[in-house]
Amino acid sequence: MTLRQVAERAGISASTASLVLNGKGDITQGTRDRVLAAAAELGYAPRPSRTRSDATPTLRFLKLSKHGETVNRDHNHFISDYIDGMSHAATRRGYTLEVVAHEGLDMSVLSNTGDVQGQVILGTELSEDDIEALSPGRHPTVFIDTYHRHLSANFVDMDNDQAVFAVVSHLKTARFERIGFVGSHSDVANFRLRDEAFRRACASLGIKVARQDILSVAATREGAYAQARQHLAAQDGIADAYFCVNDIVAHGLMRALQEIGHRIPDDVAVVGFDNLPMSSLLSPALSTVDVPKRQIGAMAVNLLDDIINSSRPQPPMKVLVTGRLILRDSTGAKKRPGPTPA
């Protein structure tokens, strides 16, 4: 892929695309987002042009799509925010950032990372075995959008426990008595972490969750809708509120609920996770967790630079960044009524 193809996909000039990808120029945020999303989608990697010994050192971002159930067009904006944060931090620390996309996991290709000082790897769809295979590479590596407590590797991820507890705590405070969870059987570490966090939050807050109110669906928009509709149609009743493992799943659930005849939020509330741009455009607008994606990207580059410039080997670092609950129409503006005073 060439710079001109990225520019054409983003609908701008090649010179403007170059400024964005090199972290330069007074470019609007909307234009930056389009360029970074186009670069990630096309798998653009700048051709090496410097041969002098004082050439700007390079960091690489590997966008890995193992099965494509979550690393796909629906999440390009999400990933472009990661790239934006990495690009700013790389420029401040004196690096050039390359963006390279791979579909599938060909370890023989991935292990040959070329002339770079370090790499940030999108670990969304990677298993523990994948991360262990990629960790002992030739260059320092930081994984983002995934987290494994017991692996000896560098991670920067959102704090799922904090964010999910904020969601469940809000639903309890708003007097939703019957709370459900919609997870996914897609192989994504953050989905498992949110499932575990939901169960811990409910236990801590004294909330009992009925088995029938826990669903596991596909992570794609159509798959989540079809499987949620099948499950809900077979139940005698539904929960008062559902927390969904991400916004795509929440969208599928909302569509299924509405087709069955349930009103949102009058009959049932729905909360997602990720704050994708489409979330505010749904009807009703989706309450969700905003993930600090640019900060995560910047933190990964800062951590990578510290590792590269350390005079001695550094212990693995695991960094969790706090998210923020955004309340919109899908959970209702008012609390549910409490018991009538005697």
Side-chain angles (χ1 to χ4, degrees):
M1 291 299 169
T2 66
L3 178 64
R4 185 170 299 281
Q5 287 174 299
V6 173
E8 290 174 353
R9 177 64 63 91
I12 60 170
S13 68
S15 59
T16 301
S18 178
L19 288 173
V20 172
L21 293 171
N22 286 286
K24 299 178 181 179
D26 185 16
I27 311 297
T28 66
Q29 190 59 52
T31 300
R32 290 183 62 82
D33 287 345
R34 292 203 309 276
V35 173
L36 294 170
E41 183 178 343
L42 294 174
Y44 171 72
R47 294 177 180 175
S49 58
R50 294 183 176 88
T51 57
R52 305 194 327 263
S53 60
D54 61 346
T56 303
T58 300
L59 301 179
R60 177 171 295 161
F61 172 57
L62 285 174
K63 175 193 170 189
L64 301 183
S65 176
K66 182 179 178 181
H67 46 68
E69 293 175 14
T70 52
V71 182
N72 52 39
R73 292 180 63 89
D74 284 335
H75 288 86
N76 273 346
H77 190 281
F78 193 99
I79 296 170
S80 75
D81 281 350
Y82 279 146
I83 297 172
D84 195 24
M86 285 184 279
S87 178
H88 277 85
T91 300
R92 287 197 302 270
R93 297 220 174 195
Y95 294 97
T96 295
L97 181 70
E98 286 186 358
V99 179
V100 179
H102 281 284
E103 293 185 1
L105 290 181
D106 185 345
M107 293 300 176
S108 64
V109 173
L110 299 178
S111 60
N112 183 19
T113 56
D115 187 19
V116 298
Q117 277 60 52
Q119 59 186 356
V120 179
I121 297 180
L122 183 69
T124 312
E125 296 185 353
L126 301 185
S127 68
E128 291 186 7
D129 289 342
D130 298 330
I131 290 172
E132 288 186 306
L134 289 167
S135 293
R138 291 189 298 155
H139 306 293
T141 299
V142 176
F143 296 90
I144 64 170
D145 205 44
T146 191
Y147 174 72
H148 295 273
R149 296 180 183 88
H150 61 278
L151 290 187
S152 182
N154 299 297
F155 297 101
V156 183
D157 195 17
M158 68 284 296
D159 188 345
N160 287 290
D161 274 282
Q162 169 271 327
V164 174
F165 187 88
V167 171
V168 178
S169 181
H170 168 75
L171 294 176
K172 180 179 181 179
T173 301
R175 303 192 184 105
F176 291 99
E177 296 181 358
R178 183 176 168 184
I179 300 174
F181 175 75
V182 186
S184 175
H185 40 71
S186 179
D187 187 17
V188 173
N190 276 328
F191 289 174
R192 292 192 296 273
L193 292 173
R194 288 168 202 165
D195 186 339
E196 295 167 3
F198 176 79
R199 296 172 191 273
R200 283 193 293 268
C202 288
S204 176
L205 295 169
I207 299 170
K208 294 184 179 179
V209 182
R211 183 184 298 273
Q212 70 180 38
D213 295 334
I214 297 179
L215 292 71
S216 181
V217 300
T220 61
R221 199 187 309 263
E222 288 301 317
Y225 154 72
Q227 293 175 19
R229 196 182 195 287
Q230 182 180 17
H231 176 94
L232 294 171
Q235 303 300 316
D236 294 333
I238 63 170
D240 298 327
Y242 289 97
F243 166 59
C244 299
V245 76
N246 71 1
D247 286 355
I248 297 298
V249 168
H251 185 196
L253 176 72
M254 289 173 65
R255 180 181 165 194
L257 286 166
Q258 290 168 327
E259 286 190 5
I260 294 172
H262 300 293
R263 298 169 301 167
I264 305 171
D266 297 332
D267 301 327
V268 56
V270 179
V271 183
F273 200 111
D274 286 344
N275 194 28
L276 296 180
M278 47 79 71
S279 304
S280 62
L281 304 177
L282 296 176
S283 181
L286 177 65
S287 294
T288 185
V289 173
D290 183 58
V291 175
K293 301 174 286 295
R294 290 182 176 87
Q295 290 89 333
I296 288 174
M299 181 67 71
V301 167
N302 293 337
L303 174 57
L304 196 56
D305 181 49
D306 290 343
I307 296 170
I308 292 168
N309 290 293
S310 176
S311 60
R312 62 185 66 183
Q314 296 296 301
M317 296 289 291
K318 297 178 173 67
V319 181
L320 299 180
V321 184
T322 300
R324 178 172 59 98
L325 175 60
I326 297 178
L327 297 175
R328 298 192 179 108
D329 294 340
S330 68
T331 49
K334 297 180 180 179
K335 293 181 179 180
R336 295 202 161 192
T340 303

